[in-house]
């Protein structure tokens, strides 16, 4: 099934297992460059990130974004590695590029919302989660996060 069909079904899906299966199908499309050499850099970078070697991961993802700047997942993976290393500005720059290339990237939207929330930008986090809601309205936990952010905006002292 192509990604557009998966996204259409994702908007309608309500069961957590169905949502997860559809998102996994989308990730399968995102996680291939259709170039064996670049797929290898992606794989090495992901393994390095899983092992906590964020410097190596970023170096591998650098190769991806330089060789294929239109490949959204290269930017997203590098954003994740920057985030895990505590480099939020660099992560946000890469997330923004990810979303320019793939505006429906639910992982990038959720990650950016988390960073905005951590940085005290409740309104910014809310805007990003509203964008996520249009893509996957029944994402488990999303409605609770939205309610929490709205409550924080209504009661800034609490």
């Amino acid at each position: 099934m192509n990604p557009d069909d998966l996204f259409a079904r994702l908007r309608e899906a309500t069961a957590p297992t169905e949502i997860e299966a559809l998102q996994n199908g989308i990730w399968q499309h995102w996680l291939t460059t259709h170039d064996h050499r670049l797929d290898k850099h992606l794989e090495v970078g992901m393994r390095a990130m899983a092992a906590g070697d964020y410097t190596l991961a970023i170096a591998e993802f650098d190769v991806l974004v330089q060789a294929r700047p239109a490949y959204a997942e290269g930017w997203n993976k590098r954003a994740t590695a920057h985030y895990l290393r505590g480099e939020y500005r660099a992560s946000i720059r890469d997330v923004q590029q990810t979303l320019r290339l793939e505006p429906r990237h639910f992982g990038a939207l959720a990650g950016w919302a988390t960073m905005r929330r951590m940085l005290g930008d409740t309104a910014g986090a809310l805007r990003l989660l509203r964008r996520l809601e249009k893509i996957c309205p029944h994402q488990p936990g999303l409605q609770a996060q939205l309610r929490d952010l709205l409550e924080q905006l209504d009661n800034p002292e609490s």
Side-chain angles (χ1 to χ4, degrees):
M1 189 174 296
N2 77 45
D4 291 335
D5 293 337
L6 292 169
F7 275 108
R9 289 183 55 200
L10 188 59
R11 275 190 301 281
E12 304 300 321
T14 57
T17 53
E18 183 183 9
I19 291 168
E20 183 179 4
L22 291 166
Q23 287 179 338
N24 285 340
I26 293 166
W27 279 111
Q28 291 308 308
H29 286 279
W30 286 344
L31 288 171
T32 184
T33 65
H34 302 288
D35 178 312
H36 179 71
R37 183 182 65 84
L38 295 179
D39 283 343
K40 195 70 178 159
H41 284 287
L42 179 62
E43 181 184 329
V44 171
M46 289 171 57
R47 282 192 187 147
M49 197 162 49
D53 187 347
Y54 308 127
T55 301
L56 174 58
I58 290 167
E60 292 295 325
F61 302 142
D62 280 346
V63 172
L64 283 174
V65 300
Q66 289 166 10
R68 181 133 343 133
Y71 177 57
E73 196 54 30
W75 295 95
N76 184 60
K77 288 293 181 246
R78 192 171 74 176
T80 303
H82 280 302
Y83 170 81
L84 292 169
R85 201 156 77 172
E87 299 168 346
Y88 301 133
R89 283 195 178 117
S91 181
I92 289 170
R93 277 193 306 273
D94 283 352
V95 165
Q96 289 171 328
Q97 184 59 27
T98 301
L99 291 168
R100 274 191 280 279
L101 296 166
E102 175 49 88
R104 304 170 297 183
H105 201 298
F106 46 82
L109 285 166
W112 194 7
T114 297
M115 285 186 279
R116 285 284 170 218
R117 200 168 184 174
M118 288 172 53
L119 296 169
D121 182 4
T122 305
L126 181 63
R127 280 191 304 276
L128 291 164
L129 290 181
R130 288 282 187 219
R131 286 174 61 185
L132 179 57
E133 184 180 35
K134 290 176 184 165
I135 297 164
C136 185
H138 302 287
Q139 171 76 31
L142 178 60
Q143 295 305 317
Q145 288 181 60
L146 288 167
R147 281 191 303 275
D148 184 48
L149 290 170
L150 285 167
E151 189 175 295
Q152 287 178 37
L153 287 172
D154 287 342
N155 303 306
E157 279 86 44
S158 55

